[in-house]
Amino acid sequence: MTTTLLPDWPNAYPHTGASALLKQQNDDFCVEEIPLALPCGEGEHVWLHIEKNGANTAWIAKRLAAHAGVKEMDVGYAGLKDRNAVTRQWFSIYLPRVEAPDFSALNDAEMTILSQSRHSKKLRRGDLLGNRFTIRLRQVQGERALIESNLEQIKTLGVPNYFGEQRFGHGGGNIESGRAMLAGEIRVRNPGKKSIYLSAIRSLIFNNVLAERIRAGLWGQTLAGDIADDSGLNTGPLWGRGRLNSTDDALELESRVAAEQPELCDGMEHAGLKQERRALAALPANLSWQWQEDAGTTDLVLTFSLAAGYYATSVIRELMQVQEPERVNAHDADAVE
């Protein structure tokens, strides 16, 4: 099956012409979850705070299940984290009425148990406020003043809240698989894969709507009929069954973009997805940066926080183009949620 090249979604801010290297080492990309709640100290679930280095979330969960002697479904986590990174996140393990094993026996180069406690509830996907990022961009080439100009604007208006490339699979392959699934060309029995393909198609429509607004010069502006979320940010459609909540000019733009992919929108409706909304802008909290010079090269270290489900790559793409090392596992890198 051929893969689909992703559209060239536009930036909100001027191109700087700058470039850098990303994820040359795992600790160039550090992520720490901002939990929705912390363990209370008692309950049927063991909660583990884990630092992982160069491992994906599902693999860590599988190791925890095997060590505890439980099914993988008994291990919970709030979100996926990048494989090629150093990340700190929480896992829960259902262990009622039994003493928890010594999980520190699992400590190795890929994972370290930072703390262990009990809680009354299982960790479920989405049970987090957001993520804190510390990202080192190495060997930056370009004008510092242009990069900092965009950073200052991002502090005020945020960045386009595009779904990152991780959502679409290697080369956009999840989009092609989703098209084939909705067209009945392939049958997908695995519920997890079906969800991934539907999410990719849904994210494509959202990104296309956001891109159209930017092309029309509407970045940072409100259209007649826009729907704002609880924080006051304008939103775009996550496609599904039911009518769009937007009206007037916003409804016209969203309907026009969706009409370009009628078979995909119809397929998502028949798959049972319901209309939802997502903020068009992502506002990085506590955004700061530091330039570091070493041996004739210049690195840029960024620190900021984003809400759950938002992508750090949306910030980086507004500053410069980046190049990552070719990796065998590049096709199954985790998204950050």
Side-chain angles (χ1 to χ4, degrees), residues 13 150-159 284 287 315 318-319:
Y13 303 108
N150 282 9
L151 282 166
E152 292 291 353
Q153 293 182 77
I154 288 169
K155 274 189 169 183
T156 303
L157 294 177
V159 296
L287 172 62
V315 177
E318 293 294 333
L319 304 175

Side-chain angles (χ1 to χ4, degrees), residues 108-182:
D108 58 18
E110 288 188 325
M111 64 179 287
T112 303
I113 309 297
L114 302 175
S115 68
Q116 175 175 328
S117 186
R118 280 193 173 265
H119 195 54
S120 56
K121 295 181 180 180
K122 178 181 180 177
L123 257 176
R124 300 189 183 278
R125 295 289 286 272
D127 285 351
L128 74 163
L129 294 175
N131 297 285
R132 295 187 186 92
F133 297 89
T134 301
I135 300 171
R136 178 179 290 273
L137 300 168
R138 295 184 180 270
Q139 299 181 32
V140 177
Q141 302 289 327
E143 292 190 38
R144 185 178 301 191
L146 296 179
I147 296 170
E148 291 193 345
S149 175
N150 282 9
L151 282 166
E152 292 291 353
Q153 293 182 77
I154 288 169
K155 274 189 169 183
T156 303
L157 294 177
V159 296
N161 196 19
Y162 288 125
F163 285 96
E165 291 185 7
Q166 304 100 312
R167 176 61 63 100
F168 303 104
H170 184 55
N174 290 343
I175 295 174
E176 180 59 32
S177 295
R179 289 183 194 274
M181 179 181 71
L182 294 178

Side-chain angles (χ1 to χ4, degrees), residues 64 151 313:
L64 294 175
L151 282 166
T313 50

